[in-house]
Amino acid sequence: MEITLTGVKKRFKTVEALRGVDLHIRDGELFTLLGPSGCGKTTTLRLIAGFYHPDEGKIMFGDREVQEIPTFQRNIGMVFQNYALWPHMTVFKNVAYGLQFQKIPKADWSRLVNEALSKVGLVGYEKRYPGQLSGGQQQRVALARALALNPDVLLLDEPLSNLDAKIRGSVRAEIRKLQQSLGITTVYVTHDQEEALTLSDRIGIMCDGNLVQIGSPHDLYERPATRFVADFIGSNNLVAGTVASVGDDIAVQTRLGLIAGFSHHAVEPGDICTVSFRPENIRVLTEKPQDPGNHINGKISFASYMGDTLRYEMEHAEGLLLKADIKDPLHHKELAWGTPVWFSFQKSAALIIPGNNSADGQDGDPSCR
């Protein structure tokens, strides 16, 4: 089932939650709406579900306009953040709950519930109550309830946020495998970038009621269109600058000195821009390298050991903090705080993003530009 939103706006009193969203979700894909709290992603999902009515715009399921059609007639399955399971009902009754509203004969309930439980690996749990299940099992019951309706569209609103990190990783893999096997159009809402990158065919990045970029996980990570996207997807170093020259490489004047890089967009000398370079593309050296590339010096101000990664923060003389990741810390002697170092990275690792020269940003820059 294809889903299309055209010029969709939604206001809550004086708050403009959506500012005119245009979105096309392809048949059978898992599309994730990703963004910070309050960006409009859950509002968009609830408009697709029919829980909200748009103030302006159209919502299409295939060639059918649905914004005037009530939720129970849209043939959707919904999984909520808190699972919304009835604690006094067994797993069987929770999964069967929606079938009565679809006027499905009671004689078919047992078959449909068993099929749904089989899909999520919970056959044999029919007589248990939600309180007797783990968080991951409760989440799968909620998913089975949605699938029992044989929906055209599956909607998931932060479905893993209540699970601990280890369980969350395994459950999201189960969701992805199930979605691919069923081929059902799925819209997934999360604020967790790792979740989005792992699960999605495509991702829509939202900020302040707008869709700021849509693309595959690879595209958004490697080709962010704005400073906000570059900051929000993965960890990054973002340095404001002005284009100094354009040739085989683009040279940008920054507080760190000249940085050479490339851009996916046309830029001219004098243009304001942001230089983006990822921590995993940086070498950490105790002596100035002699090879061509970008070399920035400073002192180690912090080191974080994360098992598979050692994250260094370096403070530059201008006061900027830069991050670098050592991906093989087992074979690396950790440097003491205060050690003079050089952060070195290739020109091909420095992406020049036009616009938004308001300030040098660390993670969490709220600007949507």
Side-chain angles (χ1 to χ4, degrees), residues 307-326:
D308 61 347
T309 303
L310 177 64
R311 163 70 56 83
Y312 282 122
E313 289 186 6
M314 180 188 76
E315 184 174 1
H316 185 264
E318 286 290 323
L320 277 76
L321 290 176
L322 302 176
K323 301 178 290 290
D325 287 346
I326 305 297

Side-chain angles (χ1 to χ4, degrees), residues 227 231 235-240 255-256 259 275-279 282 296-304 311-324 337-338 341 343 345 359-364:
R227 181 191 182 108
D231 184 40
S235 186
N236 220 331
N237 295 294
L238 302 172
V239 182
R255 290 168 60 192
L256 302 175
I259 298 179
V275 184
S276 161
F277 46 103
R278 301 278 184 183
I282 296 175
I296 302 168
N297 66 319
K299 293 183 178 181
I300 297 295
S301 61
F302 193 69
S304 304
R311 163 70 56 83
Y312 282 122
E313 289 186 6
M314 180 188 76
E315 184 174 1
H316 185 264
E318 286 290 323
L320 277 76
L321 290 176
L322 302 176
K323 301 178 290 290
W337 295 12
V341 293
F343 277 15
F345 52 98
D360 293 304
Q362 308 300 325
D363 285 342

Side-chain angles (χ1 to χ4, degrees), residues 241-319:
T242 304
V243 176
S245 63
V246 178
D248 292 337
D249 303 306
I250 301 170
V252 178
Q253 186 64 53
T254 75
R255 290 168 60 192
L256 302 175
L258 277 176
I259 298 179
F262 74 101
S263 181
H264 297 297
H265 306 276
V267 295
E268 300 291 339
D271 289 351
I272 60 173
C273 63
T274 296
V275 184
S276 161
F277 46 103
R278 301 278 184 183
E280 65 267 24
N281 294 324
I282 296 175
R283 294 182 298 156
V284 180
L285 307 169
T286 54
E287 295 183 0
K288 184 177 182 179
Q290 301 303 313
D291 57 304
N294 298 295
H295 312 303
I296 302 168
N297 66 319
K299 293 183 178 181
I300 297 295
S301 61
F302 193 69
S304 304
Y305 178 73
M306 296 176 281
D308 61 347
T309 303
L310 177 64
R311 163 70 56 83
Y312 282 122
E313 289 186 6
M314 180 188 76
E315 184 174 1
H316 185 264
E318 286 290 323

Side-chain angles (χ1 to χ4, degrees), residues 9 28 37 45 58 66 70 96 108 132 144 148 151 155 157 193 202 212 228 245 263 302 314 324 326 349:
K9 296 183 179 182
S37 297
L45 190 78
K58 292 195 304 183
V66 299
D108 294 333
Q132 298 173 309
L155 307 176
D157 187 9
Q193 54 176 284
R202 290 189 303 149
V212 295
F228 172 79
S245 63
S263 181
F302 193 69
M314 180 188 76
I326 305 297

